[in-house]
Amino acid sequence: MDDKKAKVGSKNAEFKDVGPAGTMNGMNRTGRMRNSNKNGVNGAAGKRVSKRDGNHFRGCMVGGAIGDALGMPVEFLRADAIIRKYGPGGIRDLEVSPSGKALITDDTQMTLFTAEGILRANNRALSRGICHFPSIVHGAYLRWLMTQGYPKFEDKWWTYNGWLLSVPELHFRRGPGNTCLSALSSGELGTISSPINNSKGCGGVMRAAPAGLFYPPEAAFMMASEFAAITHGHPSGYLSAGALAYMIAAIIEGQDLRRAAKGAIAELGKHDGHEECVECLQKALDFSRTKQTDLEAIRQIGEGWVGEEALGIAVYCALKHPDDFVGAVVAAVNHDGDSDSTGAITGNILGAYLGLSRIPPAWVDVIELRDVLIQVADDLLVGYRDDEEWGKKYPGC
């Protein structure tokens, strides 16, 4: 490995450097990295409008769940089979279950547990003065694993608490990925420096959006990459997560979609094994300016089963339909591949960009776990509260 390339995160480096006041070096009291680009202002580009508000945080979390639910019924269908079943336009509306809800999958489940892990790690860093963030997020994934019917790790008894475990709707198996299940059931903590496997499946990127909401771009890239490496050891499996989080963080700062994507490419170039992710993102940028159909463009990017393709498809759909949440997520699910994951990632990106107010209310009303998603989005925006209620909700372990 080229030592001149930057390496994202390691247990002995970035994550445990905590100052004496209980704030991580470079972080403010909420636990977020300090950013010199305040209020979205960049000297060259002029003033940007920050999206650090409830509307856009909620849009990211709820939008991802809606894209996930839209793609779930067609995840394993080829495009021609989708058209035969739903007509020339493919699937265009949420399918509502007998419960009256449009059901989410493991993508949204794990996104929620990622957010919970980030908030619990932040609580620990600020209240105890030291924290290895990936270890706490790993604990969140072990709680998710328990909701999938796996037994607790008795030597990690302290991690099985917090409010998400009390949400009944999270205790359903919704097509969990084999890589996530096998990596987590091993009990081992995968890292970039010590990969747990060589998987580049999209199970890492599909859950990375909360890191983009919580951290500024460069820190979001670093954290999301390390969180994805817990279960996915191939560079395209974790760098795709870093790139998505970077994009969402840049969007929240006020950057437009194309600038955010180019920034993610530039950040990827600093890290070993970036080539596949960069190639797919560049295709997304290029194809979004052409007149070819969405399906034609998506087929040239891939099917989305692996991280770099899922990211590329989602970014293409967001760039092609930047002001049309419905058009973007419909394009993102009507193809030959992993429709729920590409739909979820597209929903995360455009939800952050457009905000909850630009997502059809009829979809918001029926999405499963709507209130939980909104609560988690609001908590990510708050970041930290020094009170007993917050400590019970997001204990630092």
Side-chain angles (χ1 to χ4, degrees), residues 56-253:
H56 293 90
F57 273 52
R58 290 180 175 191
C60 181
M61 294 296 291
V62 175
I66 287 172
D68 179 23
L70 183 67
M72 189 262 286
V74 297
E75 178 182 8
F76 298 106
L77 297 180
R78 306 289 291 181
D80 55 355
I82 296 173
I83 291 170
R84 285 197 300 271
K85 183 174 182 179
Y86 294 96
I91 187 168
R92 302 187 65 83
D93 201 358
L94 294 175
E95 290 194 357
V96 178
S97 72
S99 70
K101 300 295 181 183
L103 302 182
I104 53 90
T105 77
D106 62 312
D107 296 45
T108 300
Q109 291 175 342
M110 295 199 76
T111 298
L112 285 167
F113 278 97
T114 299
E116 184 201 42
I118 289 170
L119 290 167
R120 288 174 65 144
N122 191 53
N123 183 13
R124 182 181 181 92
L126 294 175
S127 62
R128 303 190 188 186
I130 189 167
C131 182
H132 179 242
F133 278 50
S135 292
I136 304 300
V137 173
H138 180 237
Y141 294 156
L142 294 183
R143 289 189 291 280
W144 169 79
L145 186 69
M146 194 191 82
T147 70
Q148 304 302 292
Y150 283 70
K152 298 179 181 179
F153 287 93
E154 296 301 328
D155 61 337
K156 296 180 176 64
W157 57 268
W158 38 265
T159 199
Y160 295 99
N161 52 22
W163 77 289
L164 281 187
L165 277 181
S166 68
V167 178
E169 293 87 349
L170 284 171
H171 291 256
F172 289 99
R173 287 178 71 100
R174 297 284 175 75
N178 289 330
T179 298
C180 289
L181 293 175
S182 62
L184 294 172
S185 62
S186 74
E188 299 298 319
L189 173 66
T191 68
I192 291 170
S193 57
S194 298
I196 196 167
N197 53 37
N198 194 39
S199 174
K200 64 173 183 174
C202 68
V205 63
M206 74 184 191
R207 63 186 194 238
L213 294 176
F214 197 77
Y215 304 106
E218 291 79 9
F221 187 101
M222 177 181 72
M223 293 291 198
S225 296
E226 197 69 68
F227 299 159
I230 291 171
T231 56
H232 290 70
H234 190 284
S236 295
Y238 57 78
L239 292 179
S240 55
L244 173 64
Y246 181 102
M247 278 196 65
I248 289 175
I251 289 166
I252 293 299
E253 285 191 347

Side-chain angles (χ1 to χ4, degrees), residues 349-377:
I349 295 170
L350 263 198
Y353 185 65
L354 298 175
L356 187 67
S357 60
R358 299 278 298 276
I359 299 175
W363 281 5
V364 175
D365 288 344
V366 299
I367 192 64
E368 187 181 29
L369 296 173
R370 177 195 61 187
D371 293 344
V372 173
L373 290 157
I374 287 174
Q375 183 62 70
V376 169

Side-chain angles (χ1 to χ4, degrees), residues 191-392:
T191 68
I192 291 170
S193 57
S194 298
I196 196 167
N197 53 37
N198 194 39
S199 174
K200 64 173 183 174
C202 68
V205 63
M206 74 184 191
R207 63 186 194 238
L213 294 176
F214 197 77
Y215 304 106
E218 291 79 9
F221 187 101
M222 177 181 72
M223 293 291 198
S225 296
E226 197 69 68
F227 299 159
I230 291 171
T231 56
H232 290 70
H234 190 284
S236 295
Y238 57 78
L239 292 179
S240 55
L244 173 64
Y246 181 102
M247 278 196 65
I248 289 175
I251 289 166
I252 293 299
E253 285 191 347
Q255 294 185 26
D256 64 40
L257 293 171
R258 191 164 292 273
R259 184 182 181 91
K262 290 179 178 178
I265 288 175
E267 183 64 29
L268 280 164
K270 303 174 185 177
H271 304 283
D272 293 308
H274 64 270
E275 291 82 4
E276 291 177 334
C277 289
V278 168
E279 180 182 0
C280 284
L281 280 179
Q282 192 59 56
K283 286 181 178 180
L285 284 163
D286 294 343
F287 296 163
S288 66
R289 291 189 180 278
T290 68
K291 294 182 179 180
Q292 61 188 320
T293 68
D294 289 330
L295 184 56
E296 289 170 342
I298 289 170
R299 280 176 167 162
Q300 294 177 74
I301 298 172
E303 296 186 355
W305 300 108
V306 291
E308 73 275 18
E309 293 178 4
L311 175 67
I313 291 169
V315 171
Y316 162 80
C317 293
L319 289 170
K320 189 70 174 182
H321 306 275
D323 298 310
D324 181 4
F325 181 88
V326 173
V329 293
V330 166
V333 303
N334 285 288
H335 59 88
D336 296 323
D338 194 356
S339 297
D340 62 329
S341 295
T342 53
I345 300 167
T346 304
N348 290 141
I349 295 170
L350 263 198
Y353 185 65
L354 298 175
L356 187 67
S357 60
R358 299 278 298 276
I359 299 175
W363 281 5
V364 175
D365 288 344
V366 299
I367 192 64
E368 187 181 29
L369 296 173
R370 177 195 61 187
D371 293 344
V372 173
L373 290 157
I374 287 174
Q375 183 62 70
V376 169
D378 291 349
D379 289 344
L380 285 167
L381 180 60
V382 171
Y384 175 74
R385 286 203 319 265
D386 186 11
D387 59 44
E388 183 178 358
E389 179 186 2
W390 189 270
K392 289 181 178 179

